[in-house]
């Protein structure tokens, strides 16, 4: 899962459900976003469907974001992913995974277009 979080372009910042959108916006404006990818990660003490729904709810509540695609990406239902497009020149790749369906890891990589940096 590290590749989906943008590990190639720099550090992945710890975040939370309450702050991830602000964290992604801040990182996009910083030198960390100079490579065109910034990423956040955190753990939710919820089953995967609940964690994924809460992430999507946060995007919906923020507004200006279009859900392009979402669904499970494995046969066992342990990894769910979504692709979201913002009004700016960015796309977020969201991955929620679980090993035990009691704790879920959320990873989001923001791919930043040239027109949205800084």
């Amino acid at each position: 899962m590290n590749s989906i979080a943008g590990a190639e372009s720099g550090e992945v910042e710890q975040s939370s459900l309450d702050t991830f959108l602000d964290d992604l916006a801040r990182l996009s404006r910083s030198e960390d976003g100079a490579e065109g990818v910034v990423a956040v990660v955190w753990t939710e003490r919820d089953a995967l469907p609940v964690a994924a729904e809460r992430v999507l709810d946060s995007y919906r509540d923020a507004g200006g974001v279009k859900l392009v695609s979402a669904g499970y990406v494995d046969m066992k239902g342990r990894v769910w992913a979504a692709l979201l497009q913002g009004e700016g020149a960015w796309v977020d790749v969201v991955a929620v995974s679980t090993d035990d369906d009691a704790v879920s890891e959320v990873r989001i990589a923001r791919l930043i277009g040239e027109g949205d940096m800084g």
Side-chain angles (χ1 to χ4, degrees), residues 2 5 10-11 25 31 43-44 54 60 63-64 72 75 81 86 94 106:
N2 283 338
E11 291 296 316
E31 290 180 18
T43 301
E44 289 287 319
R54 288 183 178 165
R60 183 199 64 224
Y72 287 94
M75 298 297 287
V94 178
V106 180

Side-chain angles (χ1 to χ4, degrees), residues 65-90:
V65 179
K66 177 184 173 187
L67 177 62
V68 176
S69 180
Y72 287 94
V73 296
D74 71 329
M75 298 297 287
K76 292 185 177 185
R78 300 225 181 256
V79 181
W80 176 91
L83 184 63
L84 297 108
Q85 181 179 7
E87 287 180 342
W90 59 262

Side-chain angles (χ1 to χ4, degrees), residues 20 40-44 51-52 55 94-97 104-108:
F20 79 93
V40 295
V41 63
W42 74 93
T43 301
E44 289 287 319
V55 170
V94 178
V96 182
S97 60
S104 299
E105 182 178 61
V106 180
R107 292 180 170 271
I108 302 174

Side-chain angles (χ1 to χ4, degrees), residues 5-11 31-39 110:
E8 299 89 7
S9 65
E11 291 296 316
E31 290 180 18
D32 293 336
E35 296 295 319
V37 178
V38 296
R110 176 161 289 178

Side-chain angles (χ1 to χ4, degrees), residues 13-14 21-32:
E13 182 164 304
Q14 288 293 317
L21 289 170
D22 291 334
D23 293 340
L24 287 167
R26 176 181 45 79
L27 290 168
S28 296
R29 292 186 302 269
S30 73
E31 290 180 18
D32 293 336

